[in-house]
Amino acid sequence: MPYLRDTVESVLPQLTPDMELIVRNNGSTDGTAAYLESLSDSRIRVIHCTETVSAGENWSAVCRLATGSFTKVLCADDTVLPGGLDRQLKAAFEHPDAALVASRRRVIDETGRVIIRRHGLPGLTGTRNGAAATKDAIMKGNNPFGEPSSTLFRTDALLLELPFTEEFPYLTDLDMYVKVLRHGSFVGLDTVDATFRLSSTSWSSSIGASQLGQFRAWVAKLLEHGELSLTRQERALLRVRVTAMFAARRVATLLTPALAVLRR
């Protein structure tokens, strides 16, 4: 709370009778439980947990409860924009070999003001095989697929790769995208289908100080295990891009409060 209500209300109008919304209350003590108990929609399943676990553990636990052919992970302060779920599912059905579908997202601040209207998937729209999508994404120097709200997993591929690992916490989602793409192709949509909330209190902001080092170590691990192949020139280019991209992200995070004040 207070964002959870917007998150849930963004999903419910898009659910058909054979879809489900599973909410795992990760030990919240801020009114979340009372709000969830007030919901009477039969498509909602609520799991209350008294012990708070990490984001990766929470995502893994709730994904293991999913029974549908496709799974979307949605954090409690993000939303699915109208029609977004339908567009992603349509793409998934049109490409049965797709293991991951992603869309662009809208970045908003703590108050809901729009910071960036169209963000993500630079040069990654269309379809490509999993290995090509992985390399293209990594060469961007950040996570161009976007946060979980921007993506849709094929459930069988996701279950094969659970749990979400947190060896590199900032890359918990990107690491899973790469693993899932071992099992199929990628579809990138040019539509804006979700929002991602950027705030000083969000989990993604709190781990920002070590993001650059984590990305470098993660890429090094992929190279070491033969899951990624880069030429010497590509490695040099990636080092430059990673440094530049994370510097820009840090500046954007720091400027968000100031931008909100200016808009007032």
Side-chain angles (χ1 to χ4, degrees), residues 66-186:
T67 61
S69 299
F70 303 96
T71 300
K72 173 180 281 293
V73 179
L74 191 62
C75 297
D77 56 353
D78 300 330
T79 70
V80 182
L81 291 174
L85 185 56
D86 184 61
R87 287 187 287 270
Q88 289 192 332
L89 285 169
K90 183 174 183 291
F93 281 116
E94 289 176 350
H95 301 85
D97 63 330
L100 182 70
V101 177
S103 305
R104 302 189 194 278
R105 72 270 195 199
R106 182 174 299 158
V107 181
I108 60 177
D109 68 10
E110 293 169 309
T111 68
R113 291 184 175 87
V114 176
I115 301 172
I116 307 174
R117 292 193 176 279
R118 294 173 59 86
H119 190 52
L121 298 182
L124 282 170
T125 55
T127 60
R128 63 200 74 201
N129 67 56
T134 292
K135 182 174 180 178
D136 289 348
I138 290 174
M139 286 302 298
K140 301 297 181 185
N142 60 357
N143 177 6
F145 295 129
E147 297 74 26
S149 63
S150 308
T151 63
L152 180 75
F153 296 102
R154 197 179 73 225
T155 303
D156 62 352
L158 176 62
L159 292 177
L160 285 171
E161 295 298 343
L162 287 176
F164 285 87
T165 59
E166 296 177 290
E167 180 180 0
F168 308 105
Y170 167 66
L171 302 164
T172 298
D173 49 4
L174 180 57
D175 179 72
M176 181 56 76
Y177 302 155
V178 168
K179 290 176 179 176
V180 165
L181 286 171
R182 298 168 180 168
H183 306 285
S185 62
F186 171 73

Side-chain angles (χ1 to χ4, degrees), residues 135 139 219 223 228-239:
K135 182 174 180 178
M139 286 302 298
V219 171
L223 291 167
L228 177 66
S229 178
L230 299 178
T231 65
R232 182 177 298 179
Q233 183 178 6
E234 287 172 332
R235 294 186 190 203
L237 177 60
L238 181 57
R239 282 194 294 270

Side-chain angles (χ1 to χ4, degrees), residues 12-25:
L12 290 180
Q14 303 189 52
L15 297 186
T16 59
D18 62 341
M19 296 181 187
E20 62 183 353
L21 172 61
I22 305 172
V23 186
R24 189 175 190 276
N25 177 14

Side-chain angles (χ1 to χ4, degrees), residues 53-74:
V53 299
S54 68
E57 290 175 294
N58 195 45
W59 294 354
S60 298
V62 76
C63 285
R64 288 192 177 101
L65 297 172
T67 61
S69 299
F70 303 96
T71 300
K72 173 180 281 293
V73 179
L74 191 62

Side-chain angles (χ1 to χ4, degrees), residues 9-49:
E9 291 179 356
S10 77
V11 175
L12 290 180
Q14 303 189 52
L15 297 186
T16 59
D18 62 341
M19 296 181 187
E20 62 183 353
L21 172 61
I22 305 172
V23 186
R24 189 175 190 276
N25 177 14
N26 189 20
S28 298
T29 58
D30 57 0
T32 292
Y35 166 68
L36 292 175
E37 288 304 315
S38 73
L39 302 175
S40 58
D41 195 305
S42 61
R43 297 168 299 178
I44 301 176
R45 235 194 325 161
V46 177
I47 311 297
H48 290 292
C49 305

